[in-house]
Amino acid sequence: MVEQLLWCGLVQVDPVTDMAMALRGPYPLLFLTLVLLVTCLAQIIRPPDSYQNFVSEHVDFPKTRSPNGQSYCDHIMRLLSQNMAACKLTHTFIHASTNRLRAICTSRGRCNQYNECNSNTAYPLTTCWLDSPPRPPSCVYRGIPQIRRIRVVCNWGLPVRFLRVL
């Protein structure tokens, strides 16, 4: 191992004791800079964990039952926006398994050069619209259930962002 480090110029040997010495001069700083650069690049290149965000924000399978006669959209939007300062104007929930949704990015969708993929098949959805003036936490929503195709953004074969209902 020391021979490999010697070959790379990362270790110097004391000619009197024949022992490895700590680097002096610009080498330690250069080495540290390279390590930090590689670490930063690895963070940038690594795909973001937005598949989990997509699932938690848009997938409701099986469809949640709302308690005490409360509308589905009022209930589910309250769960989604517990920490939001404003009422969300619109939001779509997909009532299909994650396996079926992942297929949009691989075998059951048509994708363009921007990784925007249209599903080939229709999915059960509920789109919730804000029905009252936006005053949290008492936002009132109405929902429209439908079966439609969707467009998502895919990254590394996984849906990461919901774009629209087709």
Side-chain angles (χ1 to χ4, degrees), residues 6 19 23 25 30 46 64 74 79 86 112 129:
L6 279 169
M19 304 259 316
L23 293 178
L30 179 63
R46 188 183 67 109
T64 303
D74 281 340
L79 292 176
N112 64 21
W129 277 282

Side-chain angles (χ1 to χ4, degrees), residues 1 3 8-9 13-15 18-19 30 34-35 50 55 67 69 71 83 94 97 107 109 138 142-143 148 155 157 159:
M1 169 115 162
E3 293 83 17
C8 293
V13 176
D14 185 332
D18 206 27
M19 304 259 316
L30 179 63
L34 287 173
V35 168
S50 46
V55 170
S71 80
N83 298 323
I94 308 162
S97 71
S107 61
S138 56
R142 63 183 165 88
R148 301 279 300 273
N155 192 3

Side-chain angles (χ1 to χ4, degrees), residues 3-12 23 27:
E3 293 83 17
Q4 292 170 338
L5 293 173
L6 279 169
W7 184 78
C8 293
L10 296 175
V11 172
Q12 294 179 346
L23 293 178
Y27 293 115

Side-chain angles (χ1 to χ4, degrees), residues 96-153:
S97 71
T98 53
N99 288 339
R100 286 188 61 207
L101 293 172
R102 284 194 303 260
I104 297 170
C105 300
T106 55
S107 61
R108 298 191 182 198
R110 284 191 323 264
C111 303
N112 64 21
Q113 70 267 26
Y114 306 109
N115 289 329
E116 298 173 350
C117 301
N118 295 340
S119 66
N120 291 338
T121 58
Y123 294 91
L125 316 167
T126 301
T127 301
C128 299
W129 277 282
L130 185 64
D131 198 31
S132 70
R135 292 195 183 99
S138 56
C139 308
V140 177
Y141 289 91
R142 63 183 165 88
I144 298 179
Q146 49 192 330
I147 298 176
R148 301 279 300 273
R149 293 174 44 239
I150 59 174
R151 178 177 295 158
V152 297
V153 173

Side-chain angles (χ1 to χ4, degrees), residues 59-65 72 76 94-98:
V59 178
D60 183 35
F61 180 77
K63 187 176 178 178
T64 303
R65 291 180 169 244
Y72 169 79
I76 199 80
I94 308 162
H95 310 298
S97 71
T98 53

Side-chain angles (χ1 to χ4, degrees), residues 18-73:
D18 206 27
M19 304 259 316
M21 302 184 322
L23 293 178
R24 295 189 181 128
Y27 293 115
L29 185 57
L30 179 63
F31 181 70
L32 179 62
T33 303
L34 287 173
V35 168
L36 291 174
L37 178 64
V38 168
T39 303
C40 290
L41 286 175
Q43 292 294 322
I44 292 170
I45 294 171
R46 188 183 67 109
D49 193 22
S50 46
Y51 169 69
Q52 289 303 324
N53 292 339
F54 170 80
V55 170
S56 65
E57 288 183 16
H58 291 284
V59 178
D60 183 35
F61 180 77
K63 187 176 178 178
T64 303
R65 291 180 169 244
S66 37
N68 302 331
Q70 186 181 28
S71 80
Y72 169 79
C73 282

